Amino acid sequence: MAILPVRIYGDPVLRQRAAEVGSFDDSLRRLVADLRDTMHAYHGVGLAATQVGVLLRVAVVHVPLDEEGATFASHALVNPVVVGRSASQVSEEGCLSIPGIFEDVTRALEVRVRYQDPEGREATLDAEGYLARAIQHELDHLDGVLFVDRLSVLKRRFLKRALDALARGELPDGYAPPITQEGTS
Ligand SMILES: [Zn+2]
């Protein structure tokens, strides 16, 4: 297992569409374990394989279910597809690939997701609230979509300078990623 470097806005891999997973083998299980390690090391609530430069339709989420952070919803989603959505919610969102930027994003309040687990078993997940938000955010990554794409034209214009700086490799003050171990898994 390994903590992998999270790719930052401007990296072209973040704009690519990830491919369906066809073989449920040890390398997939290692990818899921690495995604979980990386998500926890970066203190994230979700991570898509795209964000570590792996163009496969795999994402993990780890979302607190209460304000104290005593219980979590943890899922590894392979080939996930949203098959139902209802109502809407607006809440602040950030992204490990876009450090320093947080904005309100409108998402469905409830989603039903069909996916496979890392063993290849078919499953359905009904999610609402924060978990539904995290899942929609991660599934967007698998299509090369970032949360800033979902903001108004005006908001995007307002953020352009900060996004351009990230794309040039200028990270915000205080940005301190964990020590990564790429290649050691
Ligand atoms: Zn993200």
Side-chain angles (χ1 to χ4, degrees), residues 51 94-96 137-138 141:
Q51 291 178 275
C95 179
L96 295 178
H137 177 117
E138 299 314 327
H141 275 299

Side-chain angles (χ1 to χ4, degrees), residues 4 11 24 48 56 78 103 152 179:
L4 305 173
D11 188 320
F24 293 79
L56 288 173
V78 181
E103 292 290 342
S152 67
I179 294 171

Side-chain angles (χ1 to χ4, degrees), residues 5-17 49-55 97-99 141 144-146 163-169 171 182:
V6 169
R7 306 298 183 90
I8 300 296
Y9 185 92
D11 188 320
V13 80
L14 293 172
R15 291 310 196 175
Q16 293 185 48
R17 189 174 190 280
T50 308
Q51 291 178 275
V52 297
V54 176
L55 287 169
S97 294
I98 312 178
H141 275 299
V145 174
L146 301 171
L163 290 169
D164 286 350
L166 282 177
R168 284 194 305 269
L171 293 162
E182 193 168 36

Side-chain angles (χ1 to χ4, degrees), residues 3 11 18 25 29 38 41 44 46-47 76 87 94 107 117 142 151 159 169:
I3 298 165
D11 188 320
D25 53 11
R29 284 182 279 278
T38 303
L47 190 66
R107 300 276 188 189
D117 72 11
L142 303 180
L151 303 175
L159 291 173

Side-chain angles (χ1 to χ4, degrees), residues 2-180:
I3 298 165
L4 305 173
V6 169
R7 306 298 183 90
I8 300 296
Y9 185 92
D11 188 320
V13 80
L14 293 172
R15 291 310 196 175
Q16 293 185 48
R17 189 174 190 280
E20 296 271 322
V21 172
S23 42
F24 293 79
D25 53 11
D26 283 349
S27 81
L28 175 67
R29 284 182 279 278
R30 189 157 57 239
L31 172 63
V32 168
D34 288 351
L35 288 173
R36 283 202 164 113
D37 284 355
T38 303
M39 171 179 64
H40 292 313
Y42 278 80
H43 307 294
V45 297
L47 190 66
T50 308
Q51 291 178 275
V52 297
V54 176
L55 287 169
L56 288 173
R57 303 189 78 78
V58 182
V60 295
V61 290
H62 183 73
V63 173
L65 294 174
D66 54 75
E67 282 187 14
E68 296 76 35
T71 51
F72 289 85
S74 273
H75 300 278
L77 308 171
V78 181
N79 299 328
V81 179
V82 173
V83 294
R85 61 183 84 223
S86 61
S88 73
Q89 56 173 323
V90 180
S91 191
E92 190 177 71
E93 229 166 275
C95 179
L96 295 178
S97 294
I98 312 178
I101 293 179
F102 300 88
E103 292 290 342
D104 282 349
V105 182
T106 304
R107 300 276 188 189
L109 178 63
E110 301 170 327
V111 291
R112 171 168 289 180
V113 182
R114 291 229 174 89
Y115 66 101
Q116 288 165 280
D117 72 11
E119 310 303 322
R121 291 180 292 242
E122 305 273 350
T124 302
L125 173 63
D126 288 312
E128 62 172 356
Y130 193 10
L131 178 60
R133 167 175 300 283
I135 288 172
Q136 291 169 84
H137 177 117
E138 299 314 327
L139 267 56
D140 269 356
H141 275 299
L142 303 180
D143 291 325
V145 174
L146 301 171
F147 85 88
V148 290
D149 303 337
R150 298 199 174 277
L151 303 175
S152 67
V153 172
L154 195 67
K155 264 274 170 54
R156 284 207 303 274
R157 198 175 299 156
F158 177 74
L159 291 173
K160 187 175 187 310
R161 191 187 296 261
L163 290 169
D164 286 350
L166 282 177
R168 284 194 305 269
E170 294 167 21
L171 293 162
D173 288 346
Y175 179 71
I179 294 171
T180 55

